[in-house]
Amino acid sequence: MAKNLLIVESPAKAKTIEGYLGKDFTVKSSYGHIRDLVKSEDAIDINNNFTQRYEVPADKKQVVSELKKLAKEADIVWLASDEDREGEAISWHLFETLGLKEPDTRRIVFHEITKPAIMRAIENPRKIDYNLVNAQQARRVLDRLVGFELSPVLWKKVKPSLSAGRVQSVAVRLIVDREREINKFKSEAAFKVVAIFGTGRNAFKAELPERFSKQEDAEKFLQDCIKAIFDIKSLETRPAKRSPAAPFTTSTLQQEASRKLGYSVARTMQVAQKLYESGNITYMRTDSVNLSDTALNAAAAEIVSAYGDKYHQHRKYKTKSAGAQEAHEAIRPTYFDKHTIDGDGSEKRLYELIWKRAIASQMSEAQFEKTVAKISISTRKEELVANGEVMKFDGFLKVYLESSDEDEDNQTADGENAILPPLTKGQVLDLQELTATERFSRPPARYTEASLVKKLEELGIGRPSTYAPTISTIQNRGYVVKEEREGRQRNFRVLTLKGENITKEQKTENTGAERGKLFPTDIGAVVNDFLVQHFHGIVDFNFTASVEKQFDEIAQGLQDWTKMIRSFYDPFHKDVQSTIETADKATGERELGVHPESGKKMSVRIGRYGPFVQVGENATEENGEEKPLYASLRTGQSIETITLEEALELFKLPKVVGEFEGKVMKVAIGRFGPYISHNGAFVSLPKEIDPLDVTEEEAIELINAKRKKDAEKLIKAFDEDETVKVLNGRWGPYIEFGKLNVKIPKDKDPLTLTFEECKALADAMPKDAKKGRFGKAAPSAKTAAKKAPAKKKAVAKKK
């Protein structure tokens, strides 16, 4: 038996490291965390310094059992989980759960999975850093307390089954605030003037720095230019340099992978994890831009070898983030001489991005010659400006150029950075064309996943390990959606001077189209407003950033974690109790106006099944009102922006779109969206089809497509009982036995099942099982709402 047991977090990492160590080492994986807070009422004892009780989940018991056995047989146990706070906590959990002894335990960390790095770590072991463990414990306890105390408040005051988190709520607020900023924005039009001049065979563009707010002023300018003389008033040429960006941190990698590769934040981290575990890059959760001396020397050697001496420039970057965690390295390739790797397409692309960014950071500046020509107009006081740029030395641009979020959102000036022909001061120019084009001011850009990470980092909210989970959580909870939205057509005017003639034309452009942007949902906006009103501290940017700083202080041993939690929890808990007792129910209700025919009030709000419009008041004995009419909002509509006219359109549904096989086809909107009903069957409408525009032909096509899909789903039916079927499901074949879904054992062939076998399998299911996946009953929203508050006991035990 090996004398040494080395435990890492993932099996992929274990496999890589095992190849570097000899027969004296057994390398095993813990598969992440091996224990978690218990689900019982004494998980966190609030009155006893927030003491926690942990348990080993069922799916980890076998792993723990094997590790315990191996630990007893080993002379020394090496805890080699990741080097951040989460990794330190995993090492502590392993130490406690496996019953390890300090003299026989070593804690090691490494920035990269290479043989030299592993051997250096083994030569320099340390003890578990309990400051880091406490910082992770503080975050875990605080987030559990916030989530479990806030969620029941939302169930009672907003809608059942909702949940809230500390960092997630701030992220949602950013998106809600930005959407409202966009909705309030009033676009202003102005005419942008661009001239095209000819100098022999060459032509170049120049732009008027000022813009005209009125068409008359723009037209007057063009008229004045008909007989004008244009000459070079001044010519300025100066050298310019451009420096490379620092190597990647977690957030900058997520941003650049989104811009250049189109990866989501979660996908970037998944692929980076694979690259790290296979020994291709350094640790991918870091907020440091520092490179080790070894890495700097390796990068220099590769640059000189591949590109020559003049392309190398030694640089050391300093981390700007005030809350930067442990002294990690930036994300870089482990071997700079590997320009690419073996792996799937996504791994290759991300690796090459990391390699280019890291190698470029140690390359020479790019050198340019910039030229600015000012052109006078004999009939006007204004001057046109032409900008030119010529690259003299490419430097780091030979390898890499950083993108920005503004690339697609901002329009650069016409002629910006173009190559200008040879010009001289006083030279008279030949005007070929002068245009005044109507342009519109733009609202602030919606967040992408990458730009949201950038904003969170700027505010000091969250850390490298929390960005990806935060963005996934707010989407999974339905508070935010990432989607594409079509723009709308907008007219704009163009005035053109050619020769001595001015022409006017109206053109059309598409505006407001969005791709991969984050939009708040109605329920996200209502929950945000409720939290801002009643729990302002939870969604306050400065407060949340200060909590992160306190976690940093705990990690440095400068603050006691239990005192920090106590100072937060006591006032927070009072707010929770006060809100439950005094706060009104939040629905986001907004009055739209009066129905033109009935004269009844029309309003919009959030309901149990989502946003809807209501016509009339709720009927009571006192007001004698008729039952109100309801209509669900369509995809893309919001309770904050829907108009009275748009709301009235919703009540045109359900509508008859035609007949098929002698039966009427109707389009309606239900709890799960728009659908077609026909002869007792229901067919969902695809997102791209507007329910008000469905034609008879489209309805028939959708019905036939649904029938075909259902036919392919059916494996077998039985004459004995038409409610019993063997079907193809999302997770494989199963039996539908009345209202019960029954799992088919692996040793049974779905095609040969008899009715008696199906009945026997169904009888073996729990008698009270309701229709659901494999007989698992899903509680109704009402049941969940009634039972849910009891979960609060799983967090805290109070006197």
Side-chain angles (χ1 to χ4, degrees), residues 287-360:
D287 43 19
S288 171
V289 291
N290 180 51
L291 292 178
S292 67
D293 291 339
T294 304
L296 291 171
N297 293 334
E302 184 57 29
I303 291 166
V304 171
S305 170
Y307 308 110
D309 282 329
K310 65 179 181 178
Y311 278 93
H312 175 248
Q313 183 175 334
H314 177 86
R315 282 189 192 83
K316 278 223 169 191
Y317 293 91
K318 289 187 177 179
T319 302
K320 294 179 182 177
S321 172
Q325 286 188 31
E326 303 74 48
H328 300 161
E329 259 195 281
I331 303 170
R332 62 164 176 85
T334 49
Y335 301 103
F336 279 95
D337 58 352
K338 286 176 66 176
H339 292 217
T340 188
I341 57 162
D342 296 327
D344 62 32
S346 59
E347 290 172 30
K348 279 186 177 182
R349 293 176 73 197
L350 191 65
Y351 175 82
E352 288 166 10
L353 186 68
I354 293 167
W355 183 89
K356 288 176 181 177
R357 176 80 164 224
I359 206 85

Side-chain angles (χ1 to χ4, degrees), residues 33-40 42-45 50-57 61 86 89-90 92-94 96-97 133-142 144 561 794:
H33 278 280
I34 58 163
R35 65 178 188 175
D36 198 3
L37 290 169
V38 299
K39 301 293 188 286
S40 60
D42 53 354
I44 299 172
D45 191 344
F50 303 98
T51 306
Q52 310 105 58
R53 283 191 61 236
Y54 291 95
E55 66 180 352
V56 177
K61 286 186 177 177
E86 201 73 26
I90 288 174
W92 174 68
H93 284 302
L94 284 165
E96 295 285 321
T97 308
V133 174
N134 290 338
Q136 191 273 343
Q137 294 287 84
R139 180 186 293 277
R140 182 81 177 92
V141 168
L142 185 59
R144 171 67 79 92
W561 77 271

Side-chain angles (χ1 to χ4, degrees), residues 562-573:
T562 57
K563 290 179 180 176
M564 177 260 176
I565 298 293
R566 176 65 64 192
S567 67
F568 169 87
Y569 178 76
D570 287 349
F572 168 70
H573 183 67

Side-chain angles (χ1 to χ4, degrees), residues 67-178:
L67 291 176
K68 274 186 176 179
K69 179 176 177 293
L70 292 170
K72 284 180 181 177
E73 296 170 354
D75 293 340
I76 297 177
V77 177
W78 303 78
L79 302 176
S81 51
D82 289 341
E83 57 181 333
D84 55 12
R85 296 170 193 172
E86 201 73 26
E88 203 70 22
I90 288 174
S91 282
W92 174 68
H93 284 302
L94 284 165
F95 183 85
E96 295 285 321
T97 308
L98 303 183
L100 303 179
K101 304 296 181 186
E102 199 165 289
D104 305 325
T105 306
R106 309 283 187 273
R107 171 76 173 117
I108 60 170
V109 295
F110 34 82
H111 302 300
E112 60 188 53
I113 303 177
T114 59
K115 188 170 184 178
I118 303 301
M119 301 313 294
R120 272 197 307 272
I122 287 174
E123 289 167 8
N124 298 282
R126 62 170 173 81
K127 295 180 180 180
I128 292 171
D129 187 334
Y130 284 94
N131 289 329
L132 297 181
V133 174
N134 290 338
Q136 191 273 343
Q137 294 287 84
R139 180 186 293 277
R140 182 81 177 92
V141 168
L142 185 59
D143 288 347
R144 171 67 79 92
L145 289 170
V146 169
F148 273 70
E149 294 224 359
L150 266 189
S151 296
V153 179
L154 296 180
W155 299 339
K156 288 184 177 181
K157 301 298 181 180
V158 184
K159 183 183 169 188
S161 304
L162 294 176
S163 56
R166 187 177 54 85
V167 177
Q168 296 94 317
S169 298
V170 175
V172 172
R173 183 182 180 185
L174 282 169
I175 294 165
V176 171
D177 287 353
R178 177 59 55 88

Side-chain angles (χ1 to χ4, degrees), residues 628-765:
L629 297 175
Y630 304 99
S632 298
L633 269 61
R634 286 150 56 188
T635 303
Q637 290 182 327
S638 163
I639 61 174
E640 293 194 7
T641 57
I642 189 171
T643 63
L644 177 63
E645 292 71 26
E646 289 169 337
L648 289 168
E649 286 287 309
L650 298 175
F651 289 93
K652 291 181 179 179
L653 298 174
K655 73 168 188 175
V656 174
V657 294
E659 285 192 4
F660 179 49
E661 297 173 345
K663 302 288 184 182
V664 169
M665 296 182 293
K666 283 184 181 179
V667 179
I669 296 180
R671 177 181 170 187
F672 303 109
Y675 65 92
I676 299 167
S677 65
H678 173 257
N679 196 22
F682 302 94
V683 181
S684 295
L685 279 179
K687 280 186 177 180
E688 60 272 13
I689 297 181
D690 191 313
L692 289 170
D693 299 334
V694 177
T695 63
E696 185 178 62
E697 293 74 21
E698 285 176 324
I700 293 170
E701 190 178 328
L702 289 167
I703 290 167
N704 284 330
K706 176 74 163 51
R707 287 178 178 177
K708 184 182 177 184
K709 187 177 178 181
D710 288 346
E712 291 169 354
K713 183 180 178 182
L714 181 66
I715 297 174
K716 195 171 185 180
F718 299 95
D719 294 335
E720 292 93 331
D721 189 338
E722 62 180 15
T723 66
V724 179
K725 300 169 187 172
V726 181
L727 302 172
N728 258 320
R730 184 177 173 186
W731 294 279
Y734 68 98
I735 301 163
E736 184 179 85
F737 201 94
K739 292 186 175 181
L740 190 67
N741 289 349
V742 183
K743 191 173 183 178
I744 299 173
K746 289 183 179 179
D747 59 345
K748 298 283 186 183
D749 182 356
L751 286 169
T752 61
L753 282 172
T754 64
F755 176 77
E756 287 71 23
E757 287 176 313
C758 292
K759 187 174 184 303
L761 288 169
D763 289 342
M765 297 295 291

Side-chain angles (χ1 to χ4, degrees), residues 413-433:
D414 285 79
E416 182 76 27
N417 299 332
I419 297 175
L420 296 179
L423 299 171
T424 57
K425 187 176 178 181
Q427 179 180 350
V428 176
L429 302 172
D430 175 30
L431 178 66
Q432 295 182 348
E433 184 178 281

Side-chain angles (χ1 to χ4, degrees), residues 252-427:
T252 54
L253 175 63
Q254 290 167 345
Q255 292 164 45
E256 195 71 342
S258 173
R259 300 180 195 119
K260 277 189 160 62
L261 308 180
Y263 290 1
S264 69
V265 167
R267 186 182 181 196
T268 297
M269 296 311 292
Q270 288 165 0
V271 177
Q273 180 94 26
K274 289 180 184 177
L275 292 174
Y276 168 64
E277 290 175 351
S278 57
N280 287 312
I281 64 169
T282 53
Y283 191 55
M284 67 285 156
R285 281 190 278 275
T286 175
D287 43 19
S288 171
V289 291
N290 180 51
L291 292 178
S292 67
D293 291 339
T294 304
L296 291 171
N297 293 334
E302 184 57 29
I303 291 166
V304 171
S305 170
Y307 308 110
D309 282 329
K310 65 179 181 178
Y311 278 93
H312 175 248
Q313 183 175 334
H314 177 86
R315 282 189 192 83
K316 278 223 169 191
Y317 293 91
K318 289 187 177 179
T319 302
K320 294 179 182 177
S321 172
Q325 286 188 31
E326 303 74 48
H328 300 161
E329 259 195 281
I331 303 170
R332 62 164 176 85
T334 49
Y335 301 103
F336 279 95
D337 58 352
K338 286 176 66 176
H339 292 217
T340 188
I341 57 162
D342 296 327
D344 62 32
S346 59
E347 290 172 30
K348 279 186 177 182
R349 293 176 73 197
L350 191 65
Y351 175 82
E352 288 166 10
L353 186 68
I354 293 167
W355 183 89
K356 288 176 181 177
R357 176 80 164 224
I359 206 85
S361 74
Q362 297 304 307
M363 292 179 73
S364 305
E365 295 170 326
Q367 296 174 7
F368 300 88
E369 184 179 82
K370 282 184 174 286
T371 302
V372 179
K374 292 186 177 179
I375 302 162
S376 65
I377 308 165
S378 62
T379 56
R380 301 279 300 199
K381 63 178 182 179
E382 295 93 344
E383 293 175 346
L384 293 160
V385 178
N387 291 287
E389 183 177 87
V390 177
M391 184 187 291
K392 293 295 187 180
F393 176 62
D394 55 1
F396 75 94
L397 293 177
K398 194 174 191 73
V399 173
Y400 178 81
L401 174 63
E402 184 182 24
S403 301
S404 72
D405 293 316
E406 288 73 34
D407 286 347
E408 63 183 54
D409 293 317
N410 286 352
Q411 294 174 316
T412 56
D414 285 79
E416 182 76 27
N417 299 332
I419 297 175
L420 296 179
L423 299 171
T424 57
K425 187 176 178 181
Q427 179 180 350

